[in-house]
Each structure stands twice: as structure tokens, then as C-alpha cells.
Amino acid sequence: MPNSILYRIASGDKTAVQDCLKTYGGLVWALAKRMLPNQNDAEDAVQDIFIDVWKNAERFDEERSSETTFIAMLARRRLIDRLRKSNRQPNFDSLEDVTFEPSKRTDLDIHISIEAKEAAEAVRDLRPEQQQVLFLSICQGLTHQEIADLTKMPIGTVKTHARRGLIEIREALLKSSGASDEIKEVSA
Amino acid sequence: MEKDKERMLELLADRTLFGLTEAEAAELENLKKIFPEFENDDSFEMAAAQINLINLEMDDSLPPHLQTKLAAQAEKVFGITPEAREFSSFENNQAAELPQDVFARSIDEFAPKSSIWNWKWLGLAAAATACIALAISLWLASSQPKPEIADEPKVVQTPESVKSPELAQIPESVKTPEPVGSPESVKTPEVEKTPESAQIPKTVITPENFKTPESAKNPDSVKIPAPAKTPTPELSAVQRREQLLASAPDVVQTNWTAVKGDKRVLGDVVWSNAQQKGYIRLRDLPALDASRETYQLWIFDDKTPVSGGIFNVGKTGEVIIPINAQSKIKNPKQFAVSKEKAGGVVVTKPDRIVAVAKI
């Protein structure tokens, strides 16, 4: 899409860099704050993430994902790296906070709102324990050992719930975008 | 084979969620040789990223000092000049809150001095040239019979739209007068009187007052009117809409629905994807104070909203607006009208949507 911000960055349009900050600054900042409670860490991570985004803009493929998802993916990679290098503690008070209930807020960016709604619909079909493990892993960045300690589940069970949950959601999202493995295989 | 694939999917999931041990990474590499289509697969990471957006609390925008740091990083990575930044569309967001001296300081730190001076001289020269051109134009205009459009730019509006205080308030600086002979300039009230228009007052919004945010911001959009041409009969927006409906085999028509149940929005959208052309018709949309607010049209290309331009409506009446998509629409799913600050926005939010029309 010629108007895609990442496409413009990849093609050398320098003004697109500012558009990128404007459009996705809030998203990246929110992701960083959620995973890195320390403000300085979060700020450093945001800088790393945007440099990654600018340098990897040419890898963006609108056929495979939206800009929002692509940037959120790069952000998550960076945040997980930072998180695992630090000895942080989970930043929620209790497991009651662990929920995938869709936000009632209406002031989210419309791009994010659409992406999140799609994912929430896929998550809703999972078993509660799968949802819980996935939330702790993806949104909080906990290791399987940390999740096992927190939930009192055996570590093997944690791994199974997480991987099965993610496999199912991936398949649901691919199907909704018309690009599931099954479709690929049939058309190949 | 099926077991191998299942194992590979597990490893790809594990890699995304928890990382792999060396042995697992080696196992994955071997499996990728059997299933080369997964060589560069990042669908698991994409799925995780999308899950990560659920419940995301976006209370704050980037702190100003972080924006400054990022601007400096951008200069390092891209060598962005101050001029490039000035022309960026930052005025609607947080960066506008930055103290000017902060921005100036970062510019001085990272941009080559010679480059700044070269650009400054270039800017001064361009400004001087523009002034001279303007002076000559004014002199010519005052010494010759004036073309109709130059004499009375508002002739492009229908009588109804001229009466509309909202449209009258649109700054002249962002209008791009069309040459006489353009479709709008030859419109007559008679042409507009279709059966619907006979019943309700109608304001036809033309491309001149239906602006994109970009063109509204771009000073280049202020053009000196071209010399008058002999008017040639052209179709009105109403007629062009009817023509599109009749002639485009792929044309779709869908009705507007108000997002908030207590309000009523009538009208429809007509769109031909093959021609990348369409019209929206709206009635009962509340009038806005055009100095502060505007309506903005969005076309959802699959899930991606693409701006279709900004517009305002009169206090009463129906509007017919040509859709001005900012990029090629591949797979239109729905249209939406949002209420935005004057000038429009690049990104909207769900609570600003006032009407939607799904295909």
C-alpha cells in the first residue's frame, strides 16, 4: 500500500518517520510500560524498538499482517529480550488480574481496537487455563518456570497449555485472514 | 510426516513463548528442511503480538522528552533535515507540546550546519520568488478583465452551500479553485433538482470544499486560478453518482447507520472498486462549527482505515460527496464517518465514529 507508513519509510520518505512516531508512539509506549514497569527501562526499550521498526520497515508485508501487528511484533521481541535480561517480578497483584476480557475503553486507536478484537475473539475459544498461561507468557513475559510457580501447575502442563493455545490462536487468525496452512496446502 | 509437522509447530510456538534450548533450536532447523515453507515463518510471533494488544491500556502518549530523544535517533538513522521535520504532520499530536527550543536544540545538534544554511537560503529564495509571482498575478488580475472564478471563487458552491455558515467558514487558503468549466462551476440549481432534492434542501459538496487533511495542510494546494475557459456542460455530483450506479458493473450500494442509537443518519454509499470511485450521500448529520471541527470519511480496506477526505455539512439538507481515497482500495469492507478536529486527522478513534456503512 503506497500510503503505508512502513512502505514510505522503506522507500526513503523521511517525513514518514515522524508519522510513524505519531501513529505508533502511543502503542509502543503502552506495550513497553506494561512489560517493563521501570520507567527508564521502558524509555530505553521504546528507543530500541523504533530503531528496529525503521530498520526493518522493508520487511513489512501488508499481505501477511497489518502495520500495527508488525510493529507490535518487533516491540514484543525487544521487550522480551530486555525482560529476560532483568530480574523483574510480575507486575500484577494477583491472578485475578489475569484476564483477557476485552477492554470496555473506547479511546483506543482504531487500528489497535480492530486487531485486539480479532485476537480476543480467538482467545475466547480457549480453555480458561490456556488463556491464563498465555496471558502470563505473552502479556507479562513470564517464563514457563515462573508461570508454573505462580499457578502451581506442573511445568509440562504450562508448556502444553501455552503452545496448544498459541497454535490454535495462530490458526484462527490465519483463517480469518484467509491464509491458513490448510488453505496454503490445498492451493499448492 | 504429520508428527514431524506437529512437532515443528510446537517448537515454533515454544520459540515465540519461552525461547528454545540449543538442542531444540537444532531440532527446529532440521525440521525446517522437511518443511521449507516454514523457513521464515513469523506467524506465531504475529499471533502473539496481536494477543498482546488485548486489554492494552493506552493512557499516555509518548512523553515529550522521549519524543525528543526519538527525533534525535531518527536524525542519526536517517539524517533527517529540519525541513523534513517541519513538513511532517506533527501538529495534531503530542509533538506539538514540545517546547520549541527543545526541538531547535536537537536540530542544531544533529543536522549539518552547512545543510541548514543551504536550506535556509533556498527557502528564502523560494519565498521571494513566490512573492514576486503573487505580485505579478495581482497586477495582471487588476489590469485585465477578471476570470469569473478568480473574481468570485465561491461560484463553485451551489447557492445552498454558500448559505451554509459552515462551508462559508472554510478558510480560503485551503481551497483549490477549479478553472471555470469544471463540473461544479457550471452547476445550476435546476440540475440539482432531482426528485430527492425537490423535497429537501441540498448541499452538494464539491472537490473544492471536500479536502483531504494533506491537501488542507499543504500550502502548495493554494493555486492561482487558471484563465477562464469556455464553460462546457458537465455532470453534477448527483448525475455523476447516478451514472456510476448505472454504468459500473461492480458498484455496491450500502446504507449508513448511526453509531449512537439515539441519533439518526440517513443516506448511502455508492462505490465502484474497479473505478476506485464513489459517492456518499448523507442527511441529518448535525452541522459542526467548521472552525473547530470537521467530518472525516474513512474507507476500511479490509481492516485498515484509509482517509477518504474531510467535509462539513450545512445546518439542514443533504450532501453528496465524492469519495477521495488516499490510496488504492483493494478490498473495501465498510465506510465510516468520524467527527474530528478541524483539518482532519491521520488516525481516528472508535469513539469519534458517528456513522458506518458496511458492505
Side-chain angles (χ1 to χ4, degrees), chain A residues 99-161:
Chain A
T99 172
F100 271 121
E101 280 301 305
S103 174
K104 300 287 188 295
R105 293 155 55 89
T106 57
D107 58 343
L108 293 178
D109 182 299
I110 197 159
H111 294 81
I112 297 164
S113 172
I114 291 168
E115 304 290 322
K117 184 169 176 284
E118 204 174 55
E121 282 170 2
V123 165
R124 206 173 297 136
D125 292 336
L126 300 181
R127 288 153 51 192
E129 57 271 30
Q130 283 181 317
Q131 292 188 25
Q132 189 182 58
V133 169
L134 269 187
F135 178 88
L136 292 169
S137 169
I138 291 172
C139 302
Q140 297 294 326
L142 300 194
T143 65
H144 41 60
Q145 185 62 59
E146 288 170 327
I147 297 171
D149 293 343
L150 197 69
T151 60
K152 313 296 181 204
M153 288 182 197
I155 197 164
T157 307
V158 168
K159 275 189 122 173
T160 304
H161 282 331

